Amino acid sequence: LPRQLHSSTQPPRSTRISEPKMATIVAQQLSAGLTQRSNTVRPRGAATKPRAAVRVGAVAAAAVRPSWCPGRPAPAHLDGTLPCDYGFDPLNLGADPELLKWFVQAELQHCRWAMLGLTGMVVPELLTTIGVADLPNWIGAGTYEYWLGAGPLFFVQMAMMNWAEIRRWEDMKNPGSMNEDPLTGANAGDTNVDVGYPKGLFDPLGYTKDPKKADELKRKEIANGRLAMVAILGCFTQAITTGTGPVDNLVAHLADPGHVNIFN
């Protein structure tokens, strides 16, 4: 019985495959599989080249369009055409095109006034410190006696600013409509429609004749204006904390930096 069971489990002689023949079949199948895999897999060089190109393209794009927050895409309404546009609008306030126009002009005016204001804060105090003049510190400028009383002087300033701001507002609504000076006739026939950047009388050196030079100066103006606004905030903080101007604070700090600083 064991011999019969053993013989019943063996395959017929005609279906048996010899070990050498089996090894040959396995080798052929492995060879065919490797050949098919080599035909379907991309070459190593072809796989690395696109990745390198994408990496270089991303670096180039980052170099062309710097961002205030690297790795964060800029909003759609900030496409890089504005001067010093680094995609900064975390609250998405400029999504409305009309509001964006207003914000652009508001920043431009604040930049210009901050640069003028910072000059007025530093220069008189600096001239007084070095002994060239005897001018009041900006903190006490309101108590200084000018050529006109405080009330009339304030009225004159408000009237002049009102005239200038109304013309600027009208130019924003209808670009180019305020190019000609109504008092002197200057800039007559000027077709400039670049709001906030008047030419002619306001460009005596002709910088705007070169578009590349004009774009460069726009970027520099905004960059320096933003820095001036931060400096103005620093001057306000110094005045509230120490009661002195920026030059006095700087001189005191340089004389004893270890004890006269923001921590003391």
Side-chain angles (χ1 to χ4, degrees):
L1 180 60
R3 182 177 298 177
Q4 291 178 356
L5 291 174
H6 177 72
S7 61
S8 63
T9 59
Q10 296 295 328
R13 290 176 178 258
S14 59
T15 59
R16 291 182 182 178
I17 302 177
S18 63
E19 292 183 359
K21 189 173 182 180
M22 178 63 74
T24 303
I25 294 173
V26 172
Q28 291 176 353
Q29 291 178 348
L30 289 175
S31 177
L34 292 175
T35 303
Q36 184 178 4
R37 180 177 178 82
S38 64
N39 291 334
T40 56
V41 177
R42 289 184 299 179
R44 183 182 298 273
T48 56
K49 187 174 181 180
R51 292 179 183 176
V54 170
R55 190 180 303 112
V56 172
V59 173
V64 173
R65 179 71 192 280
S67 174
W68 73 279
C69 183
R72 179 174 181 175
H77 57 275
L78 297 179
D79 55 2
T81 56
L82 297 173
C84 281
D85 177 11
Y86 299 114
F88 180 79
D89 190 7
L91 300 180
N92 209 33
L93 298 177
D96 185 345
E98 295 301 321
L99 281 179
L100 181 60
K101 293 179 182 179
W102 170 258
F103 289 143
V104 169
Q105 295 302 314
E107 182 186 36
L108 181 59
Q109 295 304 314
H110 280 79
C111 285
R112 290 172 177 173
W113 281 113
M115 288 187 285
L116 287 173
L118 185 63
T119 303
M121 288 178 171
V122 175
V123 173
E125 185 182 0
L126 179 62
L127 294 177
T128 302
T129 302
I130 62 179
V132 175
D134 185 14
L135 299 172
N137 192 292
W138 77 270
I139 302 174
T143 61
Y144 193 74
E145 293 185 4
Y146 298 93
W147 57 276
L148 196 61
L153 184 60
F154 176 77
F155 175 78
V156 171
Q157 290 179 338
M158 291 298 296
M160 295 178 64
M161 285 299 300
N162 180 68
W163 179 78
E165 285 299 301
I166 287 179
R167 288 184 59 82
R168 188 171 68 88
W169 175 255
E170 291 295 332
D171 193 50
M172 289 178 59
K173 294 193 296 183
N174 186 14
S177 61
M178 298 288 111
N179 289 345
E180 182 178 352
D181 192 312
L183 301 178
T184 64
N187 294 348
D190 186 9
T191 59
N192 175 44
V193 293
D194 194 0
V195 178
Y197 298 97
K199 300 179 181 179
L201 181 65
F202 294 93
D203 185 25
L205 300 180
Y207 285 128
T208 56
K209 294 180 180 179
D210 184 359
K212 292 184 178 180
K213 184 68 174 179
D215 291 340
E216 179 185 356
L217 293 175
K218 288 179 181 179
R219 291 192 297 270
K220 289 182 177 180
E221 181 182 35
I222 294 296
N224 284 279
R226 289 172 178 173
L227 184 60
M229 287 189 285
V230 176
I232 286 282
L233 180 60
C235 291
F236 290 160
T237 305
Q238 285 180 339
I240 295 172
T241 306
T242 66
T244 58
V247 177
D248 286 343
N249 278 280
L250 179 61
V251 172
H253 170 70
L254 294 177
D256 189 8
H259 295 89
V260 181
N261 50 58
I262 62 175
F263 301 105
N264 296 321

